[in-house]
């Protein structure tokens, strides 16, 4: 889409918003139900599209893409009416008599830029929240998942009027053109480097925004952990979607006393997960550039398991790497693929030194049966969200706000947090007219009286 087309679209959307801002909650619920029906009707198409993009297994599409989307729609259908009601708050004494309320109102025109790793769910989930709150939305899906982008465009065009929600496809230049426009809110999911660019670009308009990014998520395995369970849950969370998950464990920190034993359990778990040798239940890397980047990161590393690759299909086997140097390219930034560095630690001080080497992570995981150890980990490190004795499962609880901190993200969403993200608070004081206390009006003859009144607050 050319710059002129984008500006024409936004102009028409501007005009539409003047009336759409008055869309009732009941009308929004009807739209959400229509969206849910369309997604259901296209379930098979969505599964096929994501598979065509990078061979993501059907089970992973159902669980990590469709299930999450359905949960978000159902929650908004059930809760949006109650969430949208004005909330009364106690009045200030100086405004007596009055009634005070907080209204949640839509921002207006929202731009959603979605990533390729969960190309359906990470695109449609913020759209659900934005539309439910009364906003208009332009969705820019990832050009690296073109089949999923096509089905997203088909669903959005079926459900919404063009001025209410629109999919704009394109690559980097299209994203740049979109970011040059003036938005009321921008919601971006993607890498840390691109997130910085997005933030800088929209700063000239002082646009409020959410950045869902990533980072080097540590996973700690204490000597007291249930090692059999830990091995399964870590391998599942890490190698789901071929490791292309922003909250996947990025590296393991294993108590030195159990490192050798736990490495063997990781290896035996991976052999059990993918016993057929064909990796039919295992996604591929999204494109050739990502394949070249990840296989390049393995050069010169001490691979203790895996490492096989196939450039024709962008396949990289789940791979364990022993203690790569922290200055290596493998540890410079988020791996975002099926490579898991494994380290030993001997003390909590060593844990702190290692984890604090990197920016604040999006997620942190700890496997332990010791309450004092778990508490110390939680209190010692700053991260977006975490799990004790599992990985990545905090993402699926819509009662938990999801987001990062520092370089791993800004803002959060999911469930009620999405409602709070896609609305802004408008404060209204309604004064009564049956009493009008004259003390605030000139001439100020009541200074001494007010000084006595202020003593209540001094």
């Amino acid at each position: 889409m050319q710059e002129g087309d984008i500006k024409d679209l936004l102009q028409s959307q501007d005009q539409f918003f003047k009336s759409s801002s008055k869309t009732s909650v009941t009308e929004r619920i009807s739209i959400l139900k229509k969206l849910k029906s369309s997604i259901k009707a296209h379930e098979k198409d969505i599964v096929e599209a994501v598979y065509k993009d990078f061979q993501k297994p059907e089970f992973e599409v159902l669980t990590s893409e469709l299930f999450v989307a359905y949960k978000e729609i159902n929650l908004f259908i059930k809760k949006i009416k109650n969430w949208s009601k004005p909330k009364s708050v106690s009045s200030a004494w100086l405004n007596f008599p009055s009634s005070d309320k907080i209204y949640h109102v839509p921002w207006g025109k929202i731009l959603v830029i979605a990533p390729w790793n969960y190309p359906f769910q990470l695109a449609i989930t913020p759209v659900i929240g934005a539309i439910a709150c009364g906003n208009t939305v332009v969705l820019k899906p990832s050009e690296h998942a073109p089949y999923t982008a096509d089905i997203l465009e088909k669903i959005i065009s079926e459900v919404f009027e063009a001025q209410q929600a629109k999919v704009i496809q394109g690559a980097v230049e299209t994203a740049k053109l979109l970011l040059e426009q003036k938005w009321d809110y921008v919601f971006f999911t993607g890498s840390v480097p691109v997130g910085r660019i997005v933030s800088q670009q929209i700063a000239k308009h002082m646009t409020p925004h959410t950045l869902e990014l990533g980072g080097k998520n540590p996973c700690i395995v204490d000597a007291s952990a249930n090692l059999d369970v830990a091995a399964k849950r870590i391998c599942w969370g890490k190698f789901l979607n071929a490791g292309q998950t922003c909250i996947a464990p990025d590296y393991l920190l294993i108590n030195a006393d159990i490192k050798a034993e736990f490495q063997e359990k990781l290896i035996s778990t991976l052999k059990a997960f993918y016993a057929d040798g064909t990796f039919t239940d295992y996604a591929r890397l999204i494109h050739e550039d990502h394949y070249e980047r990840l296989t390049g990161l393995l050069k010169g590393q001490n691979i203790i398991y895996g490492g096989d690759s196939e450039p024709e299909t962008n396949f990289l086997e789940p791979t364990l790497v022993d203690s790569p140097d922290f200055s290596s390219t493998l540890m410079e930034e988020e791996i975002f693929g099926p490579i898991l560095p494994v380290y030993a630690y001997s003390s909590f001080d060593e844990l702190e030194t290692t984890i604090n080497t990197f920016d604040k992570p999006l997620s942190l995981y700890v496997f332990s049966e010791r309450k004092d150890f778990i508490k110390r980990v939680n209190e010692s490190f700053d991260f977006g969200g975490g799990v004790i004795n599992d990985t990545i499962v905090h993402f699926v609880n819509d009662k938990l706000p999801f987001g990062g901190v520092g370089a791993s993200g800004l803002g959060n969403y999911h469930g009620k947090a999405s409602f709070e993200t896609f609305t802004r608070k408008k404060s209204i004081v309604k004064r009564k007219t049956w009493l009008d206390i004259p003390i605030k009006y000139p001439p100020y003859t009541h200074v001494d009286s007010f000084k006595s009144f202020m003593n209540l607050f001094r």
Side-chain angles (χ1 to χ4, degrees):
M1 184 171 285
Q2 300 300 312
E3 184 174 11
D5 297 329
I6 292 175
K7 289 182 176 179
D8 289 344
L9 170 67
L10 298 182
Q11 184 178 10
S12 66
Q13 200 184 24
D14 227 5
Q15 296 167 352
F16 178 84
F17 185 71
K18 293 174 183 177
S19 60
S20 72
S21 61
K22 298 180 180 179
T23 303
S24 70
V25 173
T26 300
E27 289 172 317
R28 294 181 219 160
I29 291 173
S30 296
I31 292 171
L32 292 177
K33 289 180 178 178
K34 187 177 179 181
L35 176 59
K36 180 181 176 181
S37 296
S38 182
I39 293 173
K40 185 176 180 180
H42 290 291
E43 267 192 16
K44 184 178 178 181
D45 298 328
I46 295 166
V47 171
E48 290 179 352
V50 181
Y51 184 84
K52 287 179 180 178
D53 282 326
F54 56 112
Q55 295 189 37
K56 187 168 184 173
E58 180 180 9
F59 183 77
E60 291 187 11
V61 178
L62 294 174
T63 55
S64 65
E65 306 268 4
L66 287 163
F67 177 71
V68 176
Y70 282 137
K71 281 184 86 255
E72 192 80 351
I73 294 177
N74 290 338
L75 184 67
F76 269 99
I77 289 172
K78 181 179 180 181
K79 297 288 189 178
I80 188 63
K81 185 174 290 187
N82 181 59
W83 288 345
S84 298
K85 292 178 181 177
K87 303 298 187 293
S88 296
V89 297
S90 57
S91 303
W93 292 0
L94 293 175
N95 289 336
F96 180 83
S98 72
S99 60
D100 297 22
K101 291 184 178 180
I102 299 171
Y103 291 79
H104 287 271
V105 298
W107 286 102
K109 303 183 299 295
I110 292 182
L111 172 64
V112 174
I113 300 180
W116 51 259
N117 57 322
Y118 290 84
F120 184 80
Q121 183 259 122
L122 291 179
I124 204 68
T125 301
V127 170
I128 291 165
I131 290 293
C133 294
N135 301 283
T136 59
V137 179
V138 167
L139 169 63
K140 161 61 176 73
S142 174
E143 69 275 18
H144 298 303
Y147 293 100
T148 307
D150 285 344
I151 194 65
L152 280 165
E153 184 169 10
K154 184 175 184 179
I155 290 171
I156 295 297
S157 63
E158 284 180 359
V159 175
F160 300 100
E161 297 181 36
Q163 297 88 352
Q164 186 179 29
K166 176 80 174 178
V167 171
I168 294 180
Q169 294 197 53
V172 175
E173 290 305 315
T174 299
K176 288 180 178 179
L177 284 173
L178 286 169
L179 288 169
E180 287 172 1
Q181 314 309 312
K182 187 174 182 179
W183 301 91
D184 295 307
Y185 201 94
V186 171
F187 190 100
F188 171 82
T189 305
S191 68
V192 175
V194 179
R196 289 194 177 99
I197 295 172
V198 170
S199 187
Q200 292 169 1
Q201 182 66 41
I202 63 180
K204 62 184 179 183
H205 296 304
M206 299 183 71
T207 306
H209 55 281
T210 295
L211 301 176
E212 295 295 341
L213 308 177
K216 297 196 74 65
N217 307 314
C219 181
I220 304 165
V221 183
D222 178 40
S224 69
N226 183 323
L227 300 188
D228 291 322
V229 172
K232 287 190 294 184
R233 293 178 178 178
I234 290 170
C235 287
W236 169 75
K238 173 61 181 181
F239 299 107
L240 177 79
N241 208 39
Q244 300 166 120
T245 304
C246 61
I247 54 175
D250 194 84
Y251 60 99
L252 285 187
L253 295 166
I254 308 168
N255 185 286
D257 293 338
I258 59 165
K259 181 174 181 283
E261 178 186 2
F262 191 63
Q263 281 183 181
E264 290 305 313
K265 290 185 181 295
L266 290 172
I267 292 170
S268 61
T269 299
L270 289 172
K271 289 179 178 178
F273 279 6
Y274 309 108
D276 61 356
T278 60
F279 293 89
T280 52
D281 291 326
Y282 181 72
R284 300 310 188 249
L285 303 180
I286 189 66
H287 51 61
E288 182 181 354
D289 287 347
H290 195 45
Y291 170 86
E292 294 292 339
R293 171 184 168 268
L294 290 173
T295 52
L297 293 178
L298 290 175
K299 292 179 180 178
Q301 298 294 345
N302 182 16
I303 297 174
I304 55 178
Y305 179 80
D308 287 347
S309 61
E310 184 180 89
E312 293 79 11
T313 59
N314 295 324
F315 166 78
L316 177 58
E317 185 181 8
T319 302
L320 304 178
V321 177
D322 188 38
S323 307
D325 193 285
F326 286 129
S327 63
S328 67
T329 54
L330 181 60
M331 298 303 292
E332 281 183 348
E333 60 185 31
E334 182 181 8
I335 295 170
F336 216 70
I339 302 170
L340 184 58
V342 178
Y343 296 91
Y345 73 90
S346 300
S347 67
F348 201 91
D349 287 344
E350 193 174 348
L351 274 182
E352 289 186 301
T353 299
T354 299
I355 293 174
N356 291 333
T357 298
F358 307 103
D359 286 328
K360 297 174 183 178
L362 180 57
S363 300
L364 182 147
Y365 308 109
V366 55
F367 287 80
S368 177
E369 299 297 326
R370 296 191 294 148
K371 291 181 179 179
D372 58 338
F373 182 81
I374 293 168
K375 180 181 179 183
R376 189 175 180 187
V377 168
N378 188 34
E379 292 176 349
S380 298
F381 304 110
D382 201 4
F383 51 93
V387 187
I388 300 162
N389 291 324
D390 207 342
T391 61
I392 79 173
V393 295
H394 57 306
F395 185 87
V396 300
N397 187 350
D398 51 39
K399 297 179 180 64
L400 294 174
F402 178 82
V405 58
S408 62
L410 173 69
N412 49 56
Y413 74 126
H414 287 179
K416 183 70 176 292
S418 286
F419 173 77
E420 293 169 348
T421 289
F422 292 115
T423 59
R424 62 179 183 86
K425 294 179 181 179
K426 179 188 285 187
S427 301
I428 300 293
V429 175
K430 183 180 180 181
R431 293 294 311 279
K432 309 297 183 182
T433 58
W434 53 266
L435 177 65
D436 195 25
I437 300 174
I439 190 173
K440 68 180 181 180
Y441 302 120
Y444 300 121
T445 58
H446 307 288
V447 173
D448 291 337
S449 298
F450 191 75
K451 286 180 179 179
S452 297
F453 174 71
M454 283 186 64
N455 285 333
L456 297 173
F457 302 92
R458 287 177 171 145

